[in-house]
Amino acid sequence: PASFAKARAFVDQLERSKGLSAARIGAVRGALTAAERASGAARKTALTRLAAQVDADGKASSDKAKVAMLGDAVRELAGQ
């Protein structure tokens, strides 16, 4: 099931594997926290935007598969 904990677990794994830069890890964590605090349309918009950003991150990542799983988890949260 979709959960913020699942998305954060993928972020943690990407941090350990250095699949994303430290700056992107921080930005993704901040975006997840902001989306979790939001509700309704604002939450969906934030999560949809984050999913698109994560998809773009995947193109340059050393762990494309894990980034794709993170994107899928964020899309699940957005209800897409």
Side-chain angles (χ1 to χ4, degrees), residues 1-12 14 20 24-25 27-36 40-57 65-80:
S3 74
F4 283 92
K6 178 180 175 182
R8 284 194 181 93
F10 287 128
V11 175
D12 291 347
L14 284 164
L20 291 175
R24 280 306 297 149
I25 292 289
V28 171
R29 282 189 175 131
L32 281 171
T33 298
E36 191 171 23
R43 176 181 278 189
K44 182 172 181 152
T45 298
L47 290 168
T48 300
R49 185 178 307 124
L50 178 58
Q53 292 169 352
V54 167
D55 289 344
D57 290 337
K66 192 71 68 185
V67 175
M69 288 189 271
L70 172 59
D72 289 344
V74 173
R75 269 186 289 285
E76 284 178 28
L77 285 168
Q80 298 178 327

